[in-house]
Amino acid sequence: MAFLVALVLGVVVGIGLVVAFAKSENARSRKRRALAATIASFARMTLEDSRKILPADVYPSWVVFARQQKLKWLNQELVKIWPFVDQAASELIRTSVEPTLEQYRPVILASLKFSKLTLGTVAPQFTGISILEENESGIIMELEMNWDANSSIILDIKTYLGVALPIQVKNIGFTGVFRLMFKPMVDQFPCFGAVCFSLREKKKLDFTLKVIGGNLSTLPGVSDAIEATIRNAVEDTLMWPVRKVIPIIPGDYSDLELKPVGTLEVKLVQARDLTNKDIIGKSDPFSIVYIRPLPDKMKRSKTIDNDLSPIWNEHFEFIVEDVSTQNLTVKIYDDDGVQAADLIGCAQVRLKDLEPGKVKDIWVKLVKDLEIQRDNKDRGQVHLELLYCPYDMKDEVSNPFDKQFTMTSLERTIKNTQNGTPNGSSLSSKTLSRRKEIIMRGVLSVTVVSAEDLPAMDIAGKSDPYVVLNMKKSKTKHKTRVVNESLNPTWGQTFDFVVEDGLHDMLILEVWDHDTFGKDYMGRCILTLTRVIMEEDYKESFPLEGAKSGKLNLHLKWSPQPIYRDT
C-alpha cells in the first residue's frame, strides 16, 4: 500500500515538475519574443521618436557613447570621400535640377542655367541615424544632416532685355533628414542592386543671392522670383516621395522609381467661424489645397467676399504617390486684393487615415502652424469630403469623378443600355471610349425623419420647428410641416429633387422655429451628394451647424439617370 501511495505521489510530483518546467519555458519564450519585438521596434525608431520617449539628459551613457561613436565614424568617412562625392553629386545635381529650374523659370527671365556648380570643401555632418526597415527585400535608413556649406554655385540668368547677370548662391545652411533605400538585396558584392535617395524632411534651407559685380536690388522682384524658383526646384526633384535611383549593379530597377498609386478626390465644402482679419467688415476667404506644395500641383478656390462661414462646394483632384506618408493640406487666406493675403489658418489630413473607396466627411480644426499643431486660439474649421481611390482597387466601388466612368450604379445602367434600350438603340464601345465625362443626373429622395435635442427658442422652453430643404444649384425648395411645442419633433416626410449635376450640387437643410409674427433661425446641415450617389441609400444623423445642440435624422436615396457628354 505504501508503495502504491509513493508511486502515485511520485507520478503526481513528476507531472507537476514537467508542467512547471513547460510553463517556465513557455514564459521565457514569450519574454524572448516580446524582447525581440521591442528590439525590432527600437531599431525602426527614428531619432525624433527616441528623443520624445527618452530625453537626452537621461540617456544611458553606453547608448549615448555608441550613437556618438557610430556618427563620429560615419562623419570621418564622409570627410575622406567628400572630394569624390562632390564631383559626382555636382554633376548629378546639374543634370537633374537644371531642367527643373527651366520649368519653374520666372516669366521675367529668358533663361536660367548653372554656369558653375561645386559643393565646396566642407562635408555635411550627420547628427542622427535610424533603420526603418531591414529584411530580404532591402534596407531603408534615415540620416539627419546639418550642412553649413562653402559651395560655389553661380547661376547665369538672362532677361528679355538682353541683360546677362551672374548670380552667386552663397551662405547655404541646411538641416534635414535624408532617406536611403538599398534595394534589391542580391548575392554579389556590395549585396544590393541600387541606391535610392530622397529628402524626407526639410527642416531648414537658407541661402542668399548676390550679383557678381553688381546689386540685385536694381532689378525689383528678380531676387524673390529666383529664390522661389530654387525652392520649387528642390521640392520637385529631391523632396519625398520623389526619389533618385542610382544603379550599382546593372539591371532593371523601374519598380523603385516613383509611380502614382491612386487619386484623391477632394470636395472643399465650406468653413465656419473663421477668424476675422479685416478691421472694417469681414474677411474675404479663399483656400489653397495641395498634397505637394508646387505651383502646378496646388489648387485655389474662389474668393467668398465678406463671409466668415463661406460655402465653396468646389471639387479638386490630386495624384497620390505615397499614401503612407503624404498629407492633404488646406490653407485658408483672407484676400486683400493687390496686397499679400493674410493666413487665417491651415489644416492637414493624413492620407493613410482614409479608407480606400469610402467617402470621408470631416470637419478639421484650423491651426496657425502645421509643424506645431498646438493652437489655443479658435481660428475656425474647414469642412472636407475626401475619397481616395487606389489604382489597384479591386472592389466594386469606384471613383464617381473618373472621366472614364466609375460607379457601380452607373455601370449597371450602362450594361442595361448596351443590352438594349426601350427605343432599341445601344451604346457602342466606341461611344464609351469617346465619352468626355458623365453628368450625374438623377432623383434625390430625402426623408426628414426627425430631430433630437433642438435648442429652445420660446419663452416656455419649447420650439415649433420645421425644416426648409434647398438644392443649391437648382434653387428647388421644399418645407416640412410645423411640429408645435417640441424639441424632439418627428416629421417622417419625403421630398424628391430632380438633380441635374449631382457631383457638384449640394443639399442645404435649415431648421426654423415658427412664430406667429415671424420665425427664428435654429441651425442648418449642408450635405454634398457624393455619398448617396455611391451608396444609393443610407440613413444618418447630422449635427446642426450654428446651434448649441440638436441633430437631424435623415434617410437619403438616389435614382441615377446618367447623361453622356461626347468630346
Side-chain angles (χ1 to χ4, degrees):
M1 186 66 180
F3 172 76
L4 293 176
V5 172
L7 179 62
V8 171
L9 290 176
V11 170
V12 171
V13 171
I15 292 175
L17 291 174
V18 170
V19 171
F21 179 76
K23 288 186 176 181
S24 174
E25 287 299 305
N26 289 337
R28 291 179 61 187
S29 178
R30 285 195 298 271
K31 290 180 179 179
R32 286 195 295 269
R33 288 196 298 269
L35 180 60
T38 302
I39 293 173
S41 299
F42 273 101
R44 291 190 296 269
M45 187 181 297
T46 64
L47 181 63
E48 292 298 325
D49 292 335
S50 65
R51 287 173 177 170
K52 291 176 183 177
I53 296 175
L54 194 61
D57 57 344
V58 295
Y59 266 43
S61 59
W62 63 269
V63 172
V64 177
F65 178 76
R67 182 183 295 272
Q68 289 176 346
Q69 290 298 109
K70 185 191 300 183
L71 293 174
K72 182 179 179 181
W73 174 85
L74 189 61
N75 288 323
Q76 288 175 345
E77 295 301 312
L78 182 59
V79 169
K80 294 177 183 178
I81 65 173
W82 182 248
F84 307 100
V85 174
D86 175 25
Q87 183 178 357
S90 297
E91 184 60 30
L92 179 63
I93 292 173
R94 180 188 292 271
T95 56
S96 61
V97 175
E98 197 167 74
T100 310
L101 287 175
E102 185 64 23
Q103 176 185 346
Y104 294 106
R105 172 175 52 84
V107 294
I108 59 177
L109 300 181
S111 67
L112 177 60
K113 297 180 179 180
F114 289 111
S115 63
K116 184 178 181 181
L117 174 60
T118 60
L119 299 182
T121 58
V122 178
Q125 292 291 300
F126 294 113
T127 57
I129 182 172
S130 60
I131 306 297
L132 304 182
E133 180 180 314
E134 186 176 4
N135 50 41
E136 297 87 2
S137 64
I139 299 173
I140 301 178
M141 63 189 301
E142 288 188 348
L143 296 166
E144 186 175 8
M145 186 181 78
N146 290 334
W147 189 29
D148 293 319
N150 62 345
S151 307
S152 179
I153 301 176
I154 299 177
L155 294 171
D156 183 19
I157 70 169
K158 293 182 180 179
T159 67
Y160 286 103
L161 299 177
V163 178
L165 295 174
I167 294 183
Q168 183 179 12
V169 183
K170 56 186 300 185
N171 301 328
I172 297 177
F174 173 79
T175 302
V177 178
F178 271 92
R179 174 171 289 188
L180 300 178
M181 296 185 290
F182 303 89
K183 293 185 176 184
M185 304 305 288
V186 295
D187 295 332
Q188 60 190 107
F189 185 81
C191 300
F192 51 88
V195 178
C196 302
F197 70 90
S198 177
L199 181 57
R200 179 67 181 85
E201 183 180 358
K202 180 180 60 181
K203 297 183 178 180
K204 184 189 76 171
L205 176 59
D206 297 329
F207 56 87
T208 56
L209 302 175
K210 181 183 178 182
V211 176
I212 299 177
N215 188 352
L216 195 57
S217 61
T218 57
L219 295 174
V222 172
S223 178
D224 292 340
I226 295 176
E227 180 177 342
T229 299
I230 293 174
R231 294 187 182 277
N232 288 334
V234 171
E235 181 75 32
D236 197 4
T237 57
L238 292 178
M239 283 297 296
W240 181 267
V242 174
R243 73 286 305 263
K244 299 296 181 184
V245 180
I246 303 176
I248 303 300
I249 299 174
D252 181 14
Y253 303 109
S254 57
D255 58 321
L256 298 179
E257 296 175 353
L258 179 65
K259 296 182 180 68
V261 296
T263 58
L264 178 68
E265 307 294 342
V266 179
K267 183 72 73 68
L268 176 66
V269 183
Q270 59 176 323
R272 66 185 178 197
D273 304 327
L274 297 180
T275 301
N276 192 6
K277 291 291 185 177
D278 292 346
I279 299 176
I280 300 175
K282 299 177 181 178
S283 297
D284 308 311
F286 70 91
S287 295
I288 301 294
V289 187
Y290 61 88
I291 292 180
R292 295 184 62 195
L294 292 169
D296 59 339
K297 299 182 185 297
M298 302 169 74
K299 310 293 186 181
R300 172 174 171 155
S301 74
K302 59 180 177 288
T303 299
I304 307 296
D305 294 332
N306 200 38
D307 197 340
L308 298 181
S309 295
I311 298 176
W312 287 290
N313 191 33
E314 295 190 52
H315 166 252
F316 307 110
E317 181 177 285
F318 298 94
I319 299 298
V320 178
E321 294 157 319
D322 184 13
V323 70
S324 64
T325 60
Q326 288 188 301
N327 305 310
L328 176 73
T329 301
V330 180
K331 293 186 176 181
I332 300 180
Y333 294 87
D334 174 29
D335 192 345
D336 289 332
V338 296
Q339 297 180 347
D342 295 325
L343 177 66
I344 296 177
C346 48
Q348 204 166 65
V349 180
R350 297 184 302 181
L351 301 191
K352 66 180 180 181
D353 294 337
L354 303 179
E355 183 179 353
K358 298 292 184 181
V359 176
K360 185 168 186 177
D361 190 289
I362 55 173
W363 284 91
V364 188
K365 181 182 177 182
L366 298 176
V367 296
K368 182 179 180 180
D369 191 329
L370 292 173
E371 297 297 327
I372 300 176
Q373 287 288 341
R374 291 190 299 271
D375 197 341
N376 295 325
K377 185 176 180 180
D378 188 5
R379 301 177 184 277
Q381 294 177 298
V382 60
H383 183 192
L384 302 172
E385 183 184 82
L386 307 174
L387 173 63
Y388 171 55
C389 297
Y391 292 143
D392 60 353
M393 187 167 60
K394 304 300 183 183
D395 298 336
E396 287 187 353
V397 179
S398 300
N399 181 358
F401 296 95
D402 192 341
K403 293 180 180 180
Q404 292 301 319
F405 184 61
T406 56
M407 279 188 322
T408 308
S409 60
L410 289 185
E411 285 172 347
R412 290 197 294 268
T413 304
I414 289 175
K415 182 177 180 181
N416 293 335
T417 307
Q418 288 175 319
N419 291 336
T421 58
N423 58 14
S425 63
S426 63
L427 194 62
S428 67
S429 59
K430 183 178 180 180
T431 302
L432 287 174
S433 64
R434 195 176 70 243
R435 186 172 66 254
K436 179 180 179 181
E437 62 179 330
I438 292 182
I439 301 300
M440 298 304 301
R441 185 178 188 272
V443 176
L444 174 68
S445 296
V446 182
T447 300
V448 184
V449 181
S450 61
E452 300 176 27
D453 195 24
L454 295 179
M457 306 299 289
D458 297 339
I459 298 177
K462 296 288 185 178
S463 296
D464 306 309
Y466 66 95
V467 181
V468 176
L469 301 86
N470 177 29
M471 292 304 300
K472 186 174 176 61
K473 292 186 72 173
S474 64
K475 308 296 183 183
T476 307
K477 285 188 178 183
H478 291 291
K479 184 173 72 172
T480 68
R481 66 178 180 275
V482 177
V483 178
N484 294 320
E485 297 184 355
S486 178
L487 301 182
N488 298 283
T490 298
W491 290 284
Q493 291 181 262
T494 300
F495 305 95
D496 292 335
F497 297 88
V498 176
V499 181
E500 297 297 333
D501 187 5
L503 291 177
H504 301 96
D505 209 340
M506 63 195 325
L507 174 66
I508 301 176
L509 302 99
E510 295 180 334
V511 183
W512 295 84
D513 172 41
H514 175 73
D515 290 329
T516 305
F517 300 103
K519 59 183 180 180
D520 296 321
Y521 176 74
M522 301 177 70
R524 71 180 182 183
C525 298
I526 297 180
L527 310 179
T528 63
L529 307 188
T530 310
R531 180 180 173 187
V532 71
I533 290 174
M534 293 186 67
E535 299 183 13
E536 296 187 349
D537 188 326
Y538 78 93
K539 299 177 181 179
E540 189 67 83
S541 296
F542 299 93
L544 282 183
E545 300 172 22
K548 294 181 180 179
S549 63
K551 60 182 180 180
L552 274 180
N553 300 316
L554 304 176
H555 183 190
L556 294 94
K557 294 183 179 180
W558 176 259
S559 301
Q561 299 174 3
I563 299 175
Y564 306 101
R565 282 186 180 175
D566 296 337
T567 54

